[in-house]
């Protein structure tokens, strides 16, 4: 029986593919205040700005490819029962071949009704004002904005609780509730934390191994170590 390997991935793994990380050091996202483009209030104030912002992100996604970090994670399915919990809204894990990916913060290639959150449709091109659901309600990006609930959180907690091995890759561990998922691991399971600039984790467990490098380099290192668990 394959061991349960759970991955928690963040913006850092996609950065190697050319996708901009969520916020630069100046607190702006692609030159925009995140409160203007990533909140329900921002969407109410200026829906065209928000739609255009995500249209640009969607176009960019069509121009990039998975990197070696994504590919190694997909290849691990040969030897492990792999589930990926990602904070990323891109589909690079899926493009690389990972079959079980849970998106905590939504998906760039999906949109949903502003009135019916369960009306979710695949969307590859630009989303405009006037694009509506069957009941005439505007469609919006299928993104979890600041101040909104994280519907997938309970499923993510359940996955982390089942993990025999946990890999945290490309995340600052500063964005909650995702950062709190580490608190749900079983005692003493191996935890690998890969990031070029790893956060300082208060009360870090003794079984946490920090690998301060890029996602691709880190996954090459961890993949070798994981061979002892097969």
């Amino acid at each position: 029986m394959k061991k349960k390997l759970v991955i928690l991935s963040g913006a850092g793994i996609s950065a190697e593919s050319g996708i901009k990380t969520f916020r630069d050091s100046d607190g702006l996202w692609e030159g925009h205040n995140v409160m203007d483009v990533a909140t329900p209030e921002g969407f109410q104030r200026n829906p065209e700005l928000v739609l255009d912002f995500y249209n640009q992100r969607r176009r960019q996604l069509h121009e990039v490819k998975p990197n070696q970090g994504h590919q190694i994670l997909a290849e691990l399915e040969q030897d492990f029962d792999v589930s990926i919990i990602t904070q990323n809204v891109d589909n690079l894990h899926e493009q690389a071949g990972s079959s079980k990916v849970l998106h905590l913060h939504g998906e760039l290639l999906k949109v949903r009704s502003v009135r019916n959150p369960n009306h979710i449709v695949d969307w590859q091109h630009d989303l405009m004002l006037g694009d509506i659901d069957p009941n005439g309600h505007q469609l919006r990006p299928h993104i979890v904005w600041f101040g909104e609930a994280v519907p997938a959180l309970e499923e993510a907690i359940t996955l982390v609780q089942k993990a025999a091995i946990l890999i945290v890759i490309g995340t600052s561990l500063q964005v909650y509730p995702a950062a709190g998922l580490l608190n749900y691991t079983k005692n003493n399971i191996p935890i690998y934390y890969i990031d070029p600039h790893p956060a300082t984790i208060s009360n870090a467990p003794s079984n946490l191994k920090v690998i301060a490098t890029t996602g691709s380099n880190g996954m090459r290192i961890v993949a070798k170590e994981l061979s002892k668990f097969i």
Side-chain angles (χ1 to χ4, degrees):
M1 186 174 175
K2 293 179 179 179
K3 286 185 178 294
K4 185 67 182 176
L5 173 61
V6 175
I7 319 297
L8 177 60
S9 73
I13 191 170
S14 295
E16 286 184 72
S17 291
I19 289 184
K20 296 290 182 69
T21 53
F22 180 67
R23 274 188 281 183
D24 296 323
S25 57
D26 57 7
L28 299 179
W29 188 8
E30 297 283 311
H32 294 281
N33 184 314
V34 293
M35 293 299 110
D36 291 333
V37 295
T39 63
E41 296 79 12
F43 186 63
Q44 287 178 341
R45 281 195 306 269
N46 193 339
E48 286 185 300
L49 171 69
V50 176
L51 293 179
D52 181 62
F53 178 82
Y54 287 98
N55 288 342
Q56 291 180 47
R57 309 282 77 70
R58 199 177 297 108
R59 286 179 220 140
Q60 183 191 35
L61 178 54
H62 289 312
E63 296 172 357
V64 300
K65 299 293 182 188
N67 59 61
Q68 190 177 30
H70 295 108
Q71 290 161 351
I72 293 172
L73 288 173
E75 290 164 3
L76 288 174
E77 291 191 12
Q78 297 171 25
D79 299 307
F80 295 91
D81 175 11
V82 181
S83 289
I84 296 177
I85 303 165
T86 186
Q87 296 167 266
N88 300 335
V89 297
D90 61 63
N91 68 340
L92 294 178
H93 284 302
E94 289 93 338
Q95 283 192 47
S98 290
S99 61
K100 289 187 279 190
V101 183
L102 180 67
H103 287 267
L104 278 181
H105 296 157
E107 298 180 61
L108 199 51
L109 297 183
K110 292 183 179 179
V111 300
R112 70 175 189 259
S113 168
V114 296
R115 286 290 183 87
N116 179 6
N118 295 317
H119 180 79
I120 302 167
V121 293
D122 293 332
W123 202 268
Q124 296 284 335
H125 48 278
D126 285 359
L127 179 64
M128 312 298 290
L129 279 181
D131 288 326
I132 55 176
D133 70 10
N135 294 316
H137 302 301
Q138 176 66 38
L139 297 171
R140 56 159 278 184
H142 182 48
I143 304 291
V144 177
W145 288 328
F146 287 101
E148 294 184 321
V150 181
L153 184 61
E154 290 300 319
E155 186 178 351
I157 289 171
T158 299
L159 287 172
V160 170
Q161 289 172 331
K162 293 178 179 177
I165 306 163
L166 181 71
I167 300 174
V168 181
I169 177 169
T171 172
S172 65
L173 291 175
Q174 303 299 309
V175 178
Y176 285 82
L181 289 171
L182 262 66
N183 299 326
Y184 294 94
T185 58
K186 295 177 202 165
N187 288 334
N188 300 317
I189 70 163
I191 302 174
Y192 300 92
Y193 176 26
I194 302 166
D195 195 89
H197 309 288
T200 301
I201 303 173
S202 57
N203 303 317
S206 58
N207 49 318
L208 174 72
K209 181 169 184 177
V210 178
I211 302 170
T213 186
T214 63
S216 292
N217 286 338
M219 281 311 307
R220 284 195 289 269
I221 294 167
V222 171
K224 289 179 182 177
E225 291 211 12
L226 290 178
S227 61
K228 66 187 178 188
F229 298 110
I230 298 171

